[in-house]
Amino acid sequence: MEKMNMSVNETKDNKEKIDLTKTPVNLNQLGLKPKKKINWFKAILLTLLFIVIAGSAFYGVRLYLFSKAIGIKITPQDILEPIKKDPVLKKDSTGKYTSVLLVGIDTRDASSGLKNTDSMIIATYNYDTKNITMISVPRDMYVKVPNDTWYTKVNALYAIGENKKKGNGLNFLKGALENITGIPIQYYAMIDLQGFRSVIDIMGGITVNVQNSFTDYCYPAEKDSKSVHFCDLINGMAETITFNQGEQKMNGATALKYSRSRHSSDNGEGSDFYRARRQQNVLVAIRNKILSSDTLLNPKKVLDIIQALQDNLQLSEFTSEDLQAAINLGLSQKESKGGMYSFVTDPNFGNKKIFTTQGFNIGNLYVIGPRAGLDNYKDVHAAITLIMADPQFYSEDSVIRVYDTGIGYPKALAQTQALQAKYPYSNILFMGTLFKDKTGTVVYSHTANANTRTVAVLGEYLKSTSVDKPSYVKTNLNGEDVSILLGAAPKAQTDTKK
């Protein structure tokens, strides 16, 4: 009998002997199934991929339902293949601008029927300069009802349009605002103020630059407010709210109060016009917060914002390409550091030359309208065209004074009149002769690092020789922002060599 080695086992039928000390060993020869080695990296990767796909499907469904509710046209194919090459937004006929009408409405008391619009802002993006210009139309603008013969305040047009045809309110308002401003509007969006509050809270609040301190003793009180008293200016209860100048962190409720306050007697903040400016400040803060990485890269915040907006936002038809293009544009504008500039079409607009509160035979109703006459917006269109071309210049709104310092009175007056014609909606006045023996043209600001665009534009136009305050001027003159000194032309240097 053959002696067996201890390292040798027999198969079940004892027909074949295998030396296990040799490698590799085929375990199938032993009648055993080999134990597979686990690729942990691949397993983890597949698990993560499954989670991402499942999460994306959930997000896609939520996005689809949300988009359908508010007016974004997104198909299932858009969710499966969401990336399109170089999507673009609609533009005006020049190909230079895209404009969006942003409307705020208060529908907290649904039983009272349709509400008037609380804010109306046209935001326009300039593809050449990367600037965004916001123009607010005050609620008290007195306008002709489209396709009719009577007039009303502009904030009533949405409700009128809805009563004429359900679902046509925003389009009805859009047409009227295009007529007033001369700005072709490609898109519109309307948000309920409740959604406005919720979005701000979801983002963790916003930082707003409060331009003027003010106190409002008559702000409509919330039902659970503890700081209330009776106010003669409104029906029901009121509370006192106060805001101090400077940057402030605001939650949704505070930002809403800041945006809607209209009964303060401090710094003009009780007017509808200052209110419109505050609303623009809040929009800038929201835009900055949304484009911050902690919002865009937080899926929970994004989903919560979607949920908050689903019942509180209404859009014109907006495709998936529009949505991608808008996001790309927002990020591009932030990276390029394009400016954001704000204007309100109030009586101060256009150097007080365009709108007025006087001369309308409508009883005691407070309204504003064009100085050229109701429904005559030619001057409005002219001013807005100039503003859109150089919003920084007009947003500085500098007080400009011109002096003869050597060019001679008649020539200095003629130069001033030419400036006034070139910039008809700027505050430019001729102040007479200051000196008779100075040379060169000087354009300078009385405040360091302020009015920079105004000095640059006027200096280029006048071919100024200096932008610094000359030593021979010892005062702030008449307290203007920018001074223009028109001296005689410097004498040509002659060759004195013999």
Side-chain angles (χ1 to χ4, degrees):
M1 184 175 181
E2 183 179 1
K3 186 176 180 181
M4 295 182 60
N5 190 305
M6 294 298 297
S7 65
V8 177
N9 293 329
E10 292 183 349
T11 60
K12 290 181 181 179
D13 55 7
N14 285 329
K15 291 182 179 178
E16 185 176 351
K17 298 175 182 178
I18 301 173
D19 187 349
L20 296 179
T21 62
K22 295 180 181 180
T23 58
V25 177
N26 187 346
L27 296 184
N28 287 324
Q29 291 180 295
L30 299 178
L32 301 174
K33 291 184 178 180
K35 192 173 183 179
K36 292 183 178 179
K37 184 178 179 182
I38 298 176
N39 188 327
W40 288 107
F41 175 77
K42 184 180 290 187
I44 292 172
L45 186 62
L46 289 172
T47 302
L48 289 175
L49 182 61
F50 174 79
I51 293 172
V52 169
I53 292 173
S56 298
F58 172 72
Y59 178 84
V61 171
R62 289 286 296 275
L63 179 60
Y64 177 71
L65 294 176
F66 163 72
S67 64
K68 187 175 181 181
I70 67 173
I72 300 177
K73 186 179 180 182
I74 293 182
T75 66
Q77 287 76 18
D78 293 325
I79 297 172
L80 296 175
E81 300 177 4
I83 305 301
K84 294 182 174 64
K85 184 179 180 180
D86 299 326
V88 294
L89 291 169
K90 298 175 186 175
K91 301 177 183 178
D92 70 349
S93 59
T94 70
K96 187 175 181 178
Y97 301 108
T98 291
S99 297
V100 182
L101 169 61
L102 305 172
V103 179
I105 194 166
D106 190 356
T107 57
R108 288 175 295 178
D109 184 7
S111 62
S112 62
L114 290 171
K115 293 284 187 179
N116 291 337
T117 49
D118 197 71
S119 60
M120 291 152 284
I121 301 172
I122 301 173
T124 300
Y125 181 79
N126 184 323
Y127 287 87
D128 292 344
T129 64
K130 312 301 183 187
N131 290 329
I132 294 176
T133 303
M134 294 188 291
I135 296 180
S136 290
V137 178
R139 310 186 324 158
D140 293 325
M141 185 75 71
Y142 200 55
V143 300
K144 185 176 179 292
V145 177
N147 305 317
D148 221 318
T149 59
W150 56 289
Y151 290 77
T152 187
K153 288 188 177 184
V154 69
N155 67 329
L157 291 182
Y158 168 73
I160 293 171
E162 282 292 305
N163 284 329
K164 285 179 176 289
K165 182 181 178 181
K166 181 70 174 175
N168 193 49
L170 276 175
N171 200 48
F172 196 76
L173 175 62
K174 166 182 169 289
L177 294 178
E178 287 179 325
N179 183 44
I180 294 169
T181 62
I183 300 174
I185 298 171
Q186 286 74 48
Y187 303 96
Y188 56 72
M190 183 173 71
I191 186 168
D192 188 321
L193 296 182
Q194 184 56 46
F196 174 90
R197 287 180 54 170
S198 299
V199 168
I200 292 174
D201 286 336
I202 290 167
M203 293 190 300
I206 56 176
T207 300
V208 179
N209 183 21
V210 178
Q211 295 178 337
N212 297 308
S213 299
F214 67 93
T215 296
D216 182 350
Y217 296 98
C218 296
Y219 188 84
E222 298 287 345
K223 293 179 181 179
D224 58 349
S225 177
K226 296 180 181 179
S227 174
V228 299
H229 60 80
F230 286 102
C231 179
D232 293 335
L233 296 179
I234 60 174
N235 296 322
M237 302 293 288
E239 64 175 308
T240 298
I241 57 174
T242 298
F243 293 93
N244 297 315
Q245 186 181 38
E247 286 193 349
Q248 292 187 29
K249 181 75 175 289
M250 297 184 186
N251 61 17
T254 303
L256 185 59
K257 291 175 182 178
Y258 173 75
S259 300
R260 301 190 69 225
S261 171
R262 51 191 312 226
H263 295 295
S264 175
S265 58
D266 303 327
N267 298 313
E269 290 290 341
S271 72
D272 193 37
F273 318 128
Y274 278 80
R275 183 172 179 263
R277 290 186 178 93
R278 293 197 305 271
Q279 291 168 351
Q280 292 179 345
N281 288 345
V282 170
L283 280 179
V284 171
I286 291 174
R287 171 258 188 193
N288 291 340
K289 188 72 174 186
I290 287 177
L291 291 180
S292 67
S293 58
D294 66 326
T295 298
L296 284 179
L297 300 180
N298 188 324
K300 185 179 186 304
K301 282 186 179 181
V302 173
L303 286 174
D304 287 345
I305 289 173
I306 286 175
Q307 183 63 43
L309 290 178
Q310 186 162 331
D311 299 323
N312 297 290
L313 181 67
Q314 181 181 341
L315 298 177
S316 55
E317 185 173 283
F318 211 71
T319 67
S320 60
E321 283 195 45
D322 292 329
L323 186 60
Q324 291 175 52
I327 293 172
N328 292 343
L329 184 147
L331 294 173
S332 172
Q333 201 263 346
K334 181 183 179 184
E335 292 172 359
S336 69
K337 300 188 184 302
M340 294 188 73
Y341 303 96
S342 303
F343 302 87
V344 179
T345 55
D346 61 14
N348 291 319
F349 181 78
N351 192 27
K352 302 181 180 180
K353 295 180 179 179
I354 299 176
F355 294 104
T356 180
T357 60
Q358 307 298 318
F360 305 112
N361 186 23
I362 52 176
N364 295 323
L365 187 65
Y366 177 82
V367 299
I368 66 173
R371 290 182 180 275
L374 290 177
D375 210 33
N376 185 342
Y377 300 111
K378 62 181 181 63
D379 293 334
V380 186
H381 296 176
I384 288 179
T385 297
L386 292 174
I387 286 170
M388 300 287 278
D390 195 346
Q392 183 180 350
F393 174 84
Y394 287 97
S395 68
E396 289 180 354
D397 196 23
S398 304
V399 176
I400 304 161
R401 298 294 178 257
V402 185
Y403 301 86
D404 164 32
T405 58
I407 195 176
Y409 189 99
K411 288 184 178 180
L413 176 59
Q415 283 269 36
T416 303
Q417 291 171 338
L419 272 177
Q420 291 168 334
K422 177 71 173 177
Y423 306 101
Y425 303 108
S426 294
N427 189 346
I428 303 173
L429 289 178
F430 179 55
M431 304 304 292
T433 299
L434 184 63
F435 296 98
K436 294 183 177 180
D437 58 347
K438 306 304 178 185
T439 59
T441 297
V442 180
V443 181
Y444 69 94
S445 171
H446 285 266
T447 304
N449 302 317
N451 311 297
T452 54
R453 181 62 181 168
T454 302
V455 170
V457 169
L458 298 182
E460 181 179 359
Y461 177 76
L462 294 169
K463 297 181 172 56
S464 64
T465 55
S466 176
V467 294
D468 297 319
K469 182 179 178 178
S471 60
Y472 58 78
V473 176
K474 305 299 183 181
T475 69
N476 287 331
L477 300 178
N478 289 282
E480 62 265 21
D481 300 313
V482 173
S483 294
I484 299 177
L485 310 179
L486 299 176
K491 294 180 180 180
Q493 294 181 349
T494 57
D495 187 3
T496 60
K497 294 181 179 180
K498 294 181 179 180

